[in-house]
Amino acid sequence: MGQKYEGSGFYIIDAFSLRQTSKKPFHLEKRFLRNNNSLDNTNTSSLEEAEVKREALLEARRQKLKHKFLAVQKAVKEVEARKESQRVLFWESLQVAELKRNNRIEQRRAQSKELVERAKIVARQNLLRYEAEQGNIFP
């Protein structure tokens, strides 16, 4: 053991005898032992298990894709239905607007007709009054 003094106020002690090498964690040792034991056993069972797991994974993926596909199809149908309902609502509002416009035009026409009839009556009365006045002036 040797000591060294650094100018920063600390001593550094070399203690090689106190150093230990790092060992593998226990769970890794168990895994390595298990792998070594499984290599000794028959590989056919592990291959069959792997094939079963693979098929299960593929089936799970198929089901997930099918579910997502159906969800997308449902969403597309909902969007189309919403667009169609908006089109129908727009068409109905156009029909109502056209009906209101026609009613308003008809009301204006009727009012104009009444005003014209009233103007004709007033003009006729004024003409009769004028003729009467002219008749009184020139007997």
Side-chain angles (χ1 to χ4, degrees), residues 3-16:
Q3 291 183 353
K4 280 197 258 179
Y5 176 73
E6 290 188 4
S8 61
F10 294 101
Y11 284 96
I12 297 177
I13 301 172
D14 290 329
F16 289 108

Side-chain angles (χ1 to χ4, degrees), residues 43-87:
N43 286 335
T44 57
S45 64
S46 64
L47 288 176
E48 290 170 358
E49 288 176 14
E51 184 65 27
V52 169
K53 285 181 183 178
R54 180 179 178 276
E55 286 300 321
L57 279 173
L58 290 175
E59 185 60 30
R61 284 183 183 170
R62 284 187 204 109
Q63 291 298 325
K64 186 177 179 181
L65 286 174
K66 182 179 177 183
H67 178 70
K68 285 189 176 186
F69 177 75
L70 292 175
V72 167
Q73 291 289 8
K74 182 180 174 185
V76 166
K77 287 180 182 177
E78 288 174 358
V79 167
E80 288 175 356
R82 190 177 329 118
K83 284 182 180 179
E84 182 63 27
S85 67
Q86 287 175 346
R87 273 189 230 113

Side-chain angles (χ1 to χ4, degrees), residues 2-3 13-15 20 34-35 39-41 43 47 59 62 65 81 83 96 100-101 105 116 123-124 128-129 137:
Q3 291 183 353
I13 301 172
D14 290 329
Q20 294 180 352
R34 186 175 32 166
N35 285 343
L39 291 176
D40 296 338
N41 295 341
N43 286 335
L47 288 176
E59 185 60 30
R62 284 187 204 109
L65 286 174
K83 284 182 180 179
V96 169
K100 286 182 179 180
R101 187 180 73 83
I105 290 172
V116 168
R124 181 81 175 153
L128 291 175
R129 189 178 317 133
I137 298 176

